Amino acid sequence: MTSERILVTSALPYANGPLHVGHAIGAYIPADVYVRYHRFKGNDVLFVCGSDEHGTPITVTAEKEGITPQKVVDKYHKAMEDAFDRLGISFDNFSRTTHTAHHRNSQMFFAKIRDNNFIYKKTVQRPYCTQCNRFLPDRFVKGVCPHCNAEDQRGDQCEVCGKQLEPHEMENAYCILCCGKPQQRETEHWFFRLSEFSDRLMEWIKENKHWPDNARNFSLSWISEGLEDRAITRDLNWGVPVPLDDAKGKVLYVWFDAPIGYISATQEWAKKTGKPDDWKKYWMNECKIVHFIGKDNIPFHTIIWPAMLMAHSGYNLPWQISSNEYLTLEGKKMSTSRGWVLWLHDILSDFDPDLLRYYLLSINPAKHDSDFSLKEFQHKINNELVAAFGNFINRNLSFIEKQESSVIPKIEEFDELDEQMLERIREAPKKVGKCIEEFRFLEALKELMGLAHFGNEYFQKKEPWKNKNSTTLYLCANLTRTLAIVSAPFLPYSAEKIWKILDLEGSVFDEQWNSAGELGIKEGHMIKRVELLFNKIEDDMIDEFKTRHINKVENVIEEKDYAEFLDFEKLGLKVGEIKDVRNHPNADKLYLLKIGLGEEGDRQVIAGIRAAYSRDDLIGRQVIVVSNLKPIELRGEVSYGMILAAEGEEGVILLKPDKAVPAGSKVG
Ligand SMILES: [Zn+2]
Ligand SMILES: [Zn+2]
């Protein structure tokens, strides 16, 4: 059997916040299953990842918290590394894009593409905020998507149609820092000739018939709509400096340097192992490169990143893309900004990592979105992992412990049912392995659970408690060993635990995958004391977890939760006139006010004054509006500011000018 060389990467997580359960199942747990399996197969597989530490959101967080961007990424890099570690994600290297070596590598990559004439300089118009005195990078601008007209989209990508955006293309654009309307100003930027790669990409993707249909079709239709050259630099001081004398104050766009991080992480791994040239085996010699990503990352990995690699030349193109759809939480879309999210560190502090790995893999959102529900989590763990998998192992081994003084009895004769059992054991590594090789993780898990179910049925039919049957116990012990090996990519901690109870040599991870199909436990072998593999999840554990982490989150979404501002000078108070009043569709206490601000136009502001004012009281009335707050979403509606009110004895009392003034007048 020839060994294969495989490089597996997981999407670089963005170091601007902790990881949630959606991240975990998106690009990390399936990748880890895949990698652990190929290690068992004896393939030369390398698993790299790293935190993506550049880009504007990190600078926004740094400004807000009054710390340096480096402090922000240090904190989250560490937090993510810890969470991956606890979840059992077995990276060979987890790097960071702020490492000097990565900066140097990205600059060399840029220089090489430029030498190959795929990069050019162009004077362009970019949004500039005169109030904030700065160019506004993509994420600092929000507006209407020019492709699908979805409102309030970020300037880098439309969440509705998935298209990549440039801030200057957006309609009704506004600065997210001050809500002002950006001007267009001239600045010089460097562009990547993506348009020149349409034909090559098209041909290459068509050849890749082993890709999943969703990635292939999505990418082909993207290309057929026409690829445009893309700016790869921006006016910012946080990132990889553009390595040119006439590019002072500009850095490489984060999307450009991040995927190069896959190469840098491989180089760093090679250096750490003392063979600094070994990275070339994966990037320049024959090797299958597999990228595990979330679905929003598909075009980057099927179009832009391959085009960058083609432009550079000399490096392998991706061989496979494995992407996942989104995970919702208790039926609702997860949103870190609204606080509706289940953090990985929270759930891992209460539940064993294998339980979470099992549940997430069992609802793996590979083809369509799926939902994380704590009740279902409890149900699946108790009814599948505990009642089928754990039960089989515990039951047969306890029987051996009690009836046979922990010694595996000798084989007598095989009857028909025993032959079925033998066949199951023989086929197990092939069946589970084939599913993993084909990225069908959910089916792989079903094969695994099918084995456990078969074990239970077998034990039940054989009734070893009635008629002493040493062959039955012998085969059950061997199926247990098989289960330990084939479950190890999915449930690494439990598999090792089973291995220890069976008192087999070394670690389960030292085994060859195909040996799972053998009868590896001989008669006369003695097992160790049997322990429960998993405990049932009780109702109160779920309730208590919900109270601490989920219900709390739901209550946070209250109207007082407005964005903070720095000091009074910066409060943009204006006089506004209420033009329309609607009830908030999802909140009893809230109104959606349409407030006119003169020349600036109308805005929607959400106010919790429904108990105190009727619609008629409000229409035509003047109010004081805080106009430069970051827009905030309250139960599905966006508020662009807030109105000032005093707390009177009978409730809220709105402030208004003593005499009518033109709407839009400044206050202060
Ligand atoms: Zn759109
Ligand atoms: Zn601004």
Side-chain angles (χ1 to χ4, degrees):
M1 192 189 72
T2 51
S3 143
E4 276 188 296
R5 188 177 295 129
I6 308 167
L7 174 67
V8 176
T9 73
S10 285
L12 305 190
Y14 198 54
N16 194 34
L19 296 162
H20 57 64
V21 289
H23 293 130
I25 190 58
Y28 307 101
I29 297 175
D32 189 62
V33 172
Y34 189 78
V35 167
R36 286 179 185 272
Y37 165 73
H38 280 288
R39 287 192 191 121
F40 270 116
K41 289 289 280 185
N43 288 324
D44 176 5
V45 58
L46 187 73
F47 188 16
V48 297
C49 188
S51 44
D52 177 3
E53 304 191 341
H54 297 131
T56 47
I58 284 163
T59 64
V60 175
T61 304
E63 267 175 48
K64 234 196 243 171
E65 294 185 11
I67 55 176
T68 61
Q70 189 65 49
K71 280 254 161 62
V72 175
V73 298
D74 286 350
K75 174 171 143 192
Y76 291 118
H77 171 81
K78 180 83 181 59
M80 294 193 295
E81 200 174 31
D82 285 352
F84 284 138
D85 200 42
R86 283 162 69 189
L87 190 59
I89 305 296
S90 57
F91 295 128
D92 291 297
N93 190 30
F94 185 67
S95 187
R96 328 176 45 167
T97 60
T98 49
H99 280 168
T100 327
H102 171 70
H103 277 215
R104 211 165 40 231
N105 192 33
S106 305
Q107 289 172 335
M108 277 162 55
F109 201 102
F110 174 92
K112 176 82 188 293
I113 300 188
R114 190 164 164 271
D115 287 349
N116 291 348
N117 205 21
F118 292 114
I119 287 177
Y120 61 92
K121 182 163 82 168
K122 197 168 96 177
T123 302
V124 287
Q125 304 275 330
R126 280 290 177 267
Y128 185 91
C129 181
T130 47
Q131 288 190 69
C132 300
N133 281 322
R134 61 183 293 174
F135 279 103
L136 298 174
D138 48 25
R139 286 192 185 217
F140 281 71
V141 178
K142 276 191 166 186
V144 178
C145 168
H147 303 287
C148 73
N149 291 324
E151 285 183 25
D152 213 40
Q153 295 303 309
R154 278 196 327 232
D156 56 344
Q157 186 171 28
C158 174
E159 281 192 344
V160 177
C161 69
K163 290 260 164 63
Q164 308 293 313
L165 303 176
E166 294 284 351
H168 62 272
E169 307 170 335
M170 311 191 73
E171 286 159 48
N172 297 335
Y174 65 87
C175 163
I176 65 156
L177 298 173
C178 72
C179 297
K181 192 176 152 65
Q183 290 181 347
Q184 293 297 320
R185 278 211 187 162
E186 279 192 352
T187 176
E188 282 183 325
H189 280 293
W190 280 260
F191 283 72
F192 173 50
R193 293 187 203 275
L194 182 62
S195 60
E196 292 197 10
F197 292 90
S198 296
D199 294 346
R200 271 181 78 183
L201 285 167
M202 194 78 111
E203 210 173 297
W204 174 68
I205 294 171
K206 280 182 182 161
E207 274 169 23
N208 284 323
K209 296 205 164 54
H210 59 286
W211 280 17
D213 288 345
N214 63 345
R216 247 164 75 88
N217 297 338
F218 184 67
S219 309
L220 287 173
S221 77
W222 233 60
I223 298 172
S224 59
E225 281 171 34
L227 294 178
E228 281 174 28
D229 293 350
R230 289 176 64 96
I232 54 175
T233 59
R234 62 194 341 199
D235 297 284
L236 199 71
N237 54 15
W238 178 246
V240 178
V242 180
L244 296 170
D245 291 339
D246 52 346
K248 288 262 146 40
K250 293 176 202 287
V251 295
L252 297 178
Y253 236 116
V254 65
W255 66 257
F256 185 83
D257 91 76
I260 299 171
Y262 296 141
I263 303 176
S264 309
T266 317
Q267 291 170 338
E268 188 184 60
W269 162 84
K271 231 183 205 161
K272 282 181 184 170
T273 56
K275 292 177 186 159
D277 280 338
D278 267 13
W279 69 274
K280 292 180 186 162
K281 290 197 298 185
Y282 300 94
W283 286 98
M284 299 166 93
N285 298 357
E286 199 181 322
C287 175
K288 287 177 172 174
I289 297 179
V290 182
H291 295 304
F292 282 83
I293 54 176
K295 88 168 165 187
D296 52 343
N297 255 327
I298 291 176
F300 277 116
H301 289 78
T302 57
I303 295 172
I304 296 165
W305 170 232
M308 285 166 64
L309 290 164
M310 287 172 181
H312 183 282
S313 83
Y315 289 149
N316 293 325
L317 297 179
W319 172 72
Q320 184 58 289
I321 310 292
S322 178
S323 69
N324 265 342
E325 303 284 312
Y326 294 129
L327 188 69
T328 54
L329 174 60
E330 306 288 354
K332 282 183 271 181
K333 191 181 166 190
M334 271 195 268
S335 158
T336 49
S337 59
R338 277 183 296 139
W340 185 251
V341 62
L342 179 50
W343 299 118
L344 208 46
H345 57 256
D346 282 340
I347 189 146
L348 286 174
S349 69
D350 282 30
F351 300 99
D352 284 345
D354 278 357
L355 305 190
L356 185 63
R357 288 174 70 111
Y358 178 81
Y359 175 63
L360 284 171
L361 283 162
S362 77
I363 57 162
N364 190 10
K367 296 229 170 76
H368 39 77
D369 294 354
S370 55
D371 186 50
F372 191 112
S373 138
L374 280 164
K375 270 284 161 210
E376 197 201 8
F377 169 61
Q378 177 192 19
H379 183 83
K380 282 207 171 220
I381 295 307
N382 291 351
N383 292 305
E384 297 176 13
L385 204 55
V386 178
F389 189 89
N391 178 60
F392 167 70
I393 292 169
N394 191 256
R395 202 168 167 206
N396 88 75
L397 295 185
S398 301
F399 207 83
I400 293 170
E401 187 173 49
K402 290 196 193 89
Q403 306 292 317
E404 307 287 335
S405 308
S406 300
V407 177
I408 307 298
K410 68 176 200 298
I411 323 166
E412 285 154 358
E413 267 168 43
F414 291 137
D415 65 14
E416 204 191 314
L417 201 52
D418 298 329
E419 292 292 349
Q420 282 180 29
M421 173 66 116
L422 281 169
E423 180 67 10
R424 283 285 191 147
I425 291 176
R426 254 197 305 273
E427 292 296 311
K430 276 178 245 165
K431 283 193 167 164
V432 178
K434 189 169 192 296
C435 294
I436 300 178
E437 280 173 24
E438 292 170 358
F439 302 88
R440 293 182 286 122
F441 300 104
L442 186 55
E443 283 151 79
L445 198 69
K446 282 185 181 156
E447 285 289 346
L448 172 67
M449 292 309 287
L451 272 181
H453 282 298
F454 178 82
N456 281 320
E457 278 170 31
Y458 172 84
F459 196 82
Q460 199 62 29
K461 282 183 192 158
K462 285 283 188 172
E463 299 181 314
W465 54 91
K466 273 194 191 160
N467 21 14
K468 186 167 160 59
N469 185 335
S470 54
T471 309
T472 301
L473 298 180
Y474 171 85
L475 287 178
C476 282
N478 272 290
L479 179 63
T480 303
R481 174 182 170 278
T482 298
L483 283 171
I485 299 171
V486 296
S487 71
F490 307 90
L491 310 169
Y493 299 100
S494 314
E496 189 68 6
K497 207 165 154 188
I498 301 169
W499 204 253
K500 295 280 176 272
I501 297 172
L502 290 174
D503 201 22
L504 294 167
E505 215 175 301
S507 154
V508 65
F509 297 103
D510 302 333
E511 284 301 302
Q512 283 284 323
W513 182 258
N514 291 340
S515 91
E518 297 163 6
L519 300 174
I521 300 184
K522 304 298 171 201
E523 55 185 62
H525 175 81
M526 199 168 170
I527 61 168
K528 285 235 169 88
R529 235 180 74 97
V530 179
E531 292 166 47
L532 266 189
L533 275 187
F534 314 102
N535 291 310
K536 267 182 85 167
I537 300 177
E538 303 297 340
D539 287 346
D540 57 353
M541 289 171 74
I542 290 292
D543 292 343
E544 208 241 336
F545 184 84
K546 270 193 164 170
T547 315
R548 270 190 296 132
H549 299 296
I550 300 281
N551 295 341
K552 190 184 78 189
V553 161
E554 210 163 17
N555 294 333
V556 166
I557 314 167
E558 284 300 326
E559 58 186 298
K560 288 203 175 92
D561 199 37
Y562 279 97
E564 64 281 10
F565 34 82
L566 296 172
D567 54 52
F568 187 79
E569 290 291 298
K570 290 185 178 158
L571 269 172
L573 298 181
K574 286 180 181 171
V575 176
E577 188 174 310
I578 300 179
K579 291 184 164 176
D580 193 17
V581 179
R582 286 188 298 134
N583 290 341
H584 191 299
N586 308 317
D588 295 344
K589 294 179 189 159
L590 304 181
Y591 275 136
L592 306 177
L593 305 176
K594 184 171 159 192
I595 299 184
L597 287 170
E599 276 177 28
E600 193 207 287
D602 300 338
R603 282 190 190 198
Q604 171 165 291
V605 172
I606 300 178
I609 53 173
R610 223 151 115 182
Y613 290 88
S614 73
R615 191 173 179 276
D616 288 345
D617 292 338
L618 292 171
I619 292 201
R621 182 189 178 100
Q622 291 204 321
V623 287
I624 310 297
V625 181
V626 187
S627 68
N628 59 346
L629 287 172
K630 194 169 81 181
I632 180 166
E633 200 181 316
L634 294 168
R635 298 185 187 251
E637 289 284 342
V638 180
S639 186
Y640 300 86
M642 62 188 281
I643 56 175
L644 294 187
E647 294 229 357
E649 273 177 17
E650 290 146 38
V652 185
I653 296 167
L654 290 175
L655 302 188
K656 67 174 179 183
D658 190 31
K659 286 177 192 161
V661 288
S665 301
K666 272 191 87 172
V667 178

